[in-house]
Amino acid sequence: MLVDREAELATLSAALAESARGTGAFAVVHGATALGKTELLHALRTRATEHGFTVRTALGSPTEQPFPCALVDQLVPELALLATESDQDEAQHTVPPHVLRRIYHATLALAADRPLLLCVDDLHYADHASQQCLLYLVRRLRTARAALVVTEAPHGTAHRTLLAELQYQPRTRHLFLSPLTPRGITRLLAHHLGEPAAARPTAEFHRLTGGNPLLLRALLDDAAATAGTVPRPGAAYRSAVLACAHRSGAEALAVARATAVLGTTDTASAPHPDAPRATGTVPPTSPDSPDTALLAATAALAPRVVPQALAALTASALHDDHHRPRHPAVAEALLADPDLSSAAHTALRARAARALHAQGAPAVAVAAQLMAGAPLGESWEAPALRAAAEEHLAAGDTTLAARYLRCAVFRADDSPQGLADRLATVAVAWRLDPPGVITQLRALAGHARTGLLPPRAILHLVQALLWHGREEDAITAAGTLPDEDADPRYATELAVTRLRLTHTYPGTLPWMPAVLRRPSPAPEPTDPPEPVEVAAARTLHTALTGGDPDAVATAAERVLRTPGIVDHRPDAVVVAIQALVYIDRLDAADAWSDRFLAPRPGFPTPTPVREALLHQTRSFVLLRRGEPAAACEHGAHALDLMPEAGWGTALAFPLAVLAEAHTALGEHDRAAELLDRPLPEATHRTIFTVPHQHARGLHHLALDRPRDALACFVSCGETLRSWGLDTPALAPWRTGAAEAWLALGRPERAVRLLDDRQAAPVHRRPRARAGALRVLAATEPPERRAATLTRALELYRACGDRYGISRTLADLDTAAERHRTPAPAPGVVLTTAERRVAVLAAQGLSNREVAAELSIAVSTVEQHLTRVYRKYRIRHRRELRTRLAAGT
């Protein structure tokens, strides 16, 4: 079906009528590949035959170009011109005059009885001899009853002389074909799909084909093959793309492949399968354009031919108006072309990488070509891959960054920078497989001893070795560290390492070189804000050394509000949330830990290690908030996400949190199993040993083993004092030891421990002070016990520790039972659960608040209060306080 070509067919029909009157007519149909030139010519031949014309047709072909007169022989086969090939001057490819005259007279003879139509399709593929013959005819058929209609594509130059001659003929008509309009597409779709279904997909068909009839019909074939209602490029579409590209000429094909390569990005970062991929270039407009130079270098062509090739690709609708592949399927088809060998594809990628690097393109663009090709053996490869990996790391795409870094290591040597690349690979691989990097860390430690690693890389190595308990290797590697380095990031990493040694590896710190033992100076108020990794480490350090809680909270919030912090510095998130926990800002810590674990559509998938760290942090927050069941859930998930070997010396911390939570739930066998798991030998020189020992002490207390518990708590205190980190925020060992002394019948020792106000100042550590008051109450006379417990209850509520609230309420209930006067009236006996609810209700809490305090349902609170009212024979909440105080 011929659509959108009615005007052109009418013009050609007028030329036929003119030639029939004895005045030769000529027409040239110009158009890019696959725009319907052949179909238009076929319609013209049909119309000419119907009007009594003699029609002769010839088709130009690149395979026949070497054969002289191959095209003219199709027009007048009676002459058998190929047999006269020996008559030609092969050196000059000149057709002898007698051959030209034979062709002319044969043509006149064909037009003697009926008008003649000569059709030449794809004139640009005509052999040189045939062009000479046609040129001879054009100059002599102006008075004959003959018409010559030719089609030509914009590429190729061999036929330009003939076209110039036709340009000067007074009756030559030039027709320029364009892609089909949306209206024309709708008509074609109506023919294939029917009128009702045609209008809906017109816009999508136009987007995918640009009006190219060949692509359009191929897309229809794909739709028919899949019985789909939405057009989707398939095998037919890709075959049509290759047909268009190959018929557009060698130069256009080379430029199309170059554009496809430059526009190809890694599939892991493609936003959508149907989204067009940017080439990274603006439309080249001249041979001097840098973008033209990039395409020319990639395609191995002269810059002057690139604009014409791009124009041909755009005219054929393979490219859009911005000179980019119309659809990803276009680029995919070009790069999957069977005629593009593996070696040619690799060479194409290599040229693209070199050209992009020479132009200073972004590292990710250069690296994408390097990853898709073979090693070039050039010094800039590894740095380019490393820079691309850093960009992907900043975007949170750890998996892709690891791929780039592994490739960088493969292409790096044993130079200092090459070793730094290897260490960077280990740092990224740790986020994916922590146990798998230990061997590589030990190998890099050997290079550090030789002084081949850059100082900043050594700091990263020291931290990684300490995490895995490789203290000796870390100390040896640190021995080569200078006080200063030309790398401006060295000072930042040095400050982070110093702070982490102080509050995380204090037992190893004395063995480190002086450059790491030296305290990291605190910033002055006039100094610019510290880098986020330094600020996070300093925040935790300040929280553990008794710093101002408000300052800690402000600094932690600033760290946690940093855009993208959880993607590229999850360790800073963990440290900042822990700092909030240690200053008893549990509501803020709870909100932040929950926020960072929430799903984030559109963001890179988090690595298991990052998720493990965040779940462990959430578990710690929930434990301090007195929600042991939820703490167990998150803590167990954290250990499932990362194998125990990957936690290194930090394994003691998640085990301690889980064990303390199970102890609070009364699950003592599970707590014992967790506490008995083996730990790395270096753990006892890290801060993680303290909560582990404290959890073991709580476990012994719960099992009524006060002497074992006391030993654990005293050990915690001795360790913390030796490190200068004796703060109840980290482990309230004094409270635990006091409980153990009480259980041993030595209340005076408990009082001596808890009267040390420096151990738990109320205004700085309310949770620790609340615990101390709860234990102290047990040493006081019955008449004072309730008042002390009430103060503890207020402090627990202030910091949001629900488990502490529950335990204090139980103690209050016990104290009330022992000190109730007068005795309850006969028959009025409250259960323990009823009394807890009644006590809170008497203090003015609503039913919902009582339910939250006791972690029970609101309906349960209502049921308990109903029974209490019935037993006490009261009708109003305000009567509760009086009846409870009176015990009647």
Side-chain angles (χ1 to χ4, degrees):
M1 179 182 178
L2 192 66
V3 296
D4 269 0
R5 301 291 183 253
E6 292 82 1
E8 289 83 356
L9 185 58
T11 299
L12 294 175
S13 298
L16 288 181
E18 188 176 279
S19 65
R21 293 193 295 268
T23 56
F26 309 103
V28 181
V29 180
H30 306 270
T33 302
L35 291 189
K37 300 186 296 296
T38 300
E39 191 173 3
L40 178 61
L41 208 59
H42 174 71
L44 178 65
R45 293 199 304 269
T46 301
R47 181 164 295 186
T49 302
E50 292 172 351
H51 286 79
F53 274 70
T54 299
V55 178
R56 294 293 178 91
T57 301
L59 174 63
S61 170
T63 60
E64 292 188 346
Q65 279 185 302
F67 302 104
C69 295
L71 188 142
V72 172
D73 197 55
Q74 297 178 58
L75 295 175
V76 282
E78 300 88 348
L79 298 180
L81 292 175
L82 284 176
T84 66
E85 182 179 350
S86 58
D87 295 335
Q88 300 181 44
D89 183 349
E90 294 188 10
Q92 299 297 326
H93 298 288
T94 301
V95 180
H98 68 278
V99 175
L100 295 174
R101 291 184 63 82
R102 286 176 59 196
I103 295 172
Y104 170 63
H105 287 296
T107 303
L108 289 180
L110 290 172
D113 297 329
R114 294 190 299 170
L116 174 65
L117 172 62
L118 298 176
C119 296
V120 178
D121 199 5
D122 287 347
L123 177 65
H124 46 281
Y125 289 132
D127 59 276
H128 185 68
S130 293
Q131 291 183 50
Q132 294 181 55
C133 296
L134 290 174
L135 182 62
Y136 187 85
L137 287 177
V138 166
R139 291 169 177 168
R140 286 161 177 77
L141 290 179
R142 283 181 291 182
T143 59
R145 290 200 306 165
L148 173 64
V149 180
V150 303
T151 69
E152 71 95 26
H155 62 274
T157 58
H159 62 298
R160 295 304 176 192
T161 302
L162 176 57
L163 290 180
E165 182 63 30
L166 288 171
Q167 184 75 29
Y168 282 102
Q169 297 301 317
R171 288 182 293 278
T172 299
R173 293 165 173 81
H174 290 269
L175 292 79
F176 297 89
L177 298 190
S178 300
L180 300 182
T181 63
R183 181 179 178 183
I185 293 176
T186 301
R187 289 178 57 198
L188 189 62
L189 294 179
H191 177 74
H192 287 272
L193 305 176
E195 291 287 348
R200 291 198 307 271
T202 295
E204 187 66 7
F205 271 97
H206 187 267
R207 184 181 75 87
L208 294 172
T209 67
N212 181 307
L214 181 62
L215 295 180
L216 189 60
R217 289 186 174 86
L219 203 57
L220 282 168
D221 291 342
D222 285 330
T226 59
T229 58
V230 178
R232 295 189 182 279
Y237 183 88
R238 290 174 171 81
S239 296
V241 166
L242 291 179
C244 289
H246 280 276
R247 288 181 62 85
S248 295
E251 293 171 347
L253 177 62
V255 171
R257 287 172 173 170
T259 308
V261 161
L262 292 171
T264 301
T265 58
D266 194 288
T267 56
S269 59
H272 188 275
D274 285 340
R277 298 175 180 178
T279 62
T281 63
V282 295
T285 56
S286 73
D288 298 327
S289 164
D291 305 308
T292 299
L294 176 62
L295 281 172
T298 304
L301 294 171
R304 60 181 174 78
V305 306
V306 170
Q308 292 87 345
L310 284 173
L313 294 168
T314 301
S316 68
L318 285 181
H319 282 188
D320 58 22
D321 293 338
H322 300 288
H323 300 292
R324 300 186 179 101
R326 177 163 296 281
H327 185 271
V330 173
E332 291 165 6
L334 289 166
L335 297 180
D337 186 355
D339 289 343
L340 182 65
S341 67
S342 176
H345 190 182
T346 300
L348 186 63
R349 293 285 186 181
R351 292 196 299 270
R354 289 190 179 99
L356 287 167
H357 174 69
Q359 285 199 356
V364 290
V366 180
Q369 304 300 333
L370 292 172
M371 291 289 288
L376 304 180
E378 298 181 13
S379 60
W380 53 266
E381 286 182 82
L385 289 163
R386 185 182 69 257
E390 289 177 354
E391 291 191 33
H392 286 295
L393 271 178
D397 195 339
T398 307
T399 302
L400 193 56
R403 286 181 54 200
Y404 277 61
L405 284 169
R406 281 194 294 269
C407 190
V409 169
F410 177 72
R411 304 184 190 198
D413 51 24
D414 286 337
S415 65
Q417 189 57 65
L419 293 173
D421 288 337
R422 294 185 191 179
L423 181 59
T425 303
V426 171
V428 177
W430 181 89
R431 302 187 191 181
L432 306 173
D433 179 25
V437 305
I438 298 176
T439 301
Q440 301 176 56
L441 288 173
R442 296 180 63 185
L444 286 166
H447 287 292
R449 288 191 290 269
T450 64
L452 291 177
L453 270 176
R456 179 167 167 263
I458 292 177
L459 290 173
H460 287 295
L461 179 62
V462 167
Q463 294 184 43
L465 290 168
L466 288 174
W467 174 276
H468 287 286
R470 311 293 304 183
E471 291 178 309
E472 292 184 7
D473 289 333
I475 294 169
T476 303
T480 61
L481 287 171
D483 289 336
E484 297 179 353
D485 189 69
D487 185 349
R489 295 173 294 180
Y490 176 71
T492 296
E493 204 59 46
L494 182 61
V496 171
T497 307
R498 286 170 172 170
L499 289 167
R500 286 184 177 173
L501 279 167
T502 302
H503 62 62
T504 305
Y505 306 102
T508 309
L509 180 61
W511 306 99
M512 284 292 177
V515 65
L516 291 180
R517 294 198 309 272
R518 197 173 302 129
S520 181
E524 297 293 333
T526 57
D527 291 343
E530 290 184 306
V532 65
E533 55 268 39
V534 180
R538 193 179 301 283
T539 299
L540 180 58
H541 181 267
T542 305
L544 292 177
T545 53
D548 178 26
D550 291 335
V552 171
T554 300
E557 292 278 345
R558 183 176 75 83
V559 170
L560 295 171
R561 294 185 188 280
T562 303
I565 182 68
V566 74
D567 293 314
H568 63 275
R569 289 310 298 250
D571 56 324
V573 169
V574 170
V575 165
I577 293 177
Q578 287 179 349
L580 290 173
V581 172
Y582 289 136
I583 61 171
D584 294 337
R585 304 295 172 92
L586 298 181
D587 288 341
D590 183 49
W592 280 110
S593 63
D594 186 56
R595 173 179 175 179
F596 285 122
L597 274 175
R600 300 187 304 157
F603 284 80
T605 303
T607 65
V609 173
R610 193 190 88 179
E611 286 294 274
L613 293 174
L614 291 177
H615 276 284
Q616 166 53 31
T617 303
R618 180 82 175 133
S619 176
F620 180 46
V621 173
L622 290 169
L623 178 67
R624 288 294 178 97
R625 284 184 65 82
E627 300 180 45
C632 286
E633 179 182 348
H634 284 275
H637 189 44
L639 291 178
D640 289 339
L641 286 167
M642 183 161 62
E644 292 189 0
W647 290 91
T649 55
L651 176 63
F653 188 52
L655 292 179
V657 172
L658 268 178
E660 186 173 341
H662 283 290
T663 298
L665 293 171
E667 299 168 353
H668 303 304
D669 290 343
R670 176 60 174 158
E673 186 272 326
L674 290 165
L675 292 169
D676 289 341
R677 291 188 186 181
L679 298 173
E681 188 275 334
T683 301
H684 69 280
R685 287 184 290 276
T686 72
I687 202 67
F688 308 119
T689 191
V690 174
H692 193 269
Q693 276 290 86
H694 187 263
R696 188 182 297 277
L698 293 176
H699 174 64
H700 286 313
L701 270 182
L703 293 178
D704 197 22
R705 296 198 289 254
R707 292 191 181 279
D708 292 335
L710 183 62
C712 291
F713 295 131
V714 170
S715 174
C716 285
E718 291 174 349
T719 300
L720 288 174
R721 285 197 298 267
S722 68
W723 291 342
L725 294 174
D726 187 10
T727 169
L730 188 60
W733 65 271
R734 287 180 174 83
T735 302
E739 286 196 79
W741 281 121
L742 284 175
L744 290 169
R746 302 290 299 276
E748 74 284 358
R749 298 297 298 268
V751 171
R752 190 183 310 166
L753 274 172
L754 297 181
D755 268 352
D756 181 5
R757 295 306 176 95
Q758 291 184 349
V762 176
H763 67 285
R764 287 182 178 270
R765 301 291 183 263
R767 181 175 177 274
R769 184 57 180 164
L773 288 172
R774 187 185 64 79
V775 175
L776 274 175
T779 69
E780 295 180 335
E783 64 273 11
R784 291 171 50 190
R785 194 169 299 164
T788 302
L789 289 172
T790 300
R791 292 201 305 273
L793 184 63
E794 292 171 353
L795 289 170
Y796 274 131
R797 285 176 179 165
C799 63
D801 185 346
R802 296 179 183 178
Y803 183 66
I805 292 171
S806 178
R807 294 188 70 186
T808 307
L809 285 172
D811 290 348
L812 273 169
D813 185 58
T814 302
E817 290 282 351
R818 293 177 178 176
H819 191 59
R820 186 181 298 122
T821 57
V828 180
V829 178
L830 300 183
T831 66
T832 301
E834 289 170 352
R835 182 168 295 280
R836 289 179 181 176
V837 171
V839 168
L840 290 176
Q843 293 177 1
L845 273 68
S846 67
N847 289 358
R848 187 173 297 278
E849 291 170 336
V850 172
E853 291 280 5
L854 299 178
S855 300
I856 59 177
V858 176
S859 60
T860 304
V861 173
E862 294 169 349
Q863 294 169 11
H864 286 325
L865 285 177
T866 298
R867 288 193 291 270
V868 170
Y869 288 174
R870 187 181 301 119
K871 289 179 179 181
Y872 279 135
R873 297 179 181 179
I874 61 177
R875 301 178 61 183
H876 300 288
R877 203 181 195 94
R878 61 177 176 269
E879 299 178 65
L880 274 175
R881 182 184 295 272
T882 303
R883 290 300 179 91
L884 288 172
T888 61

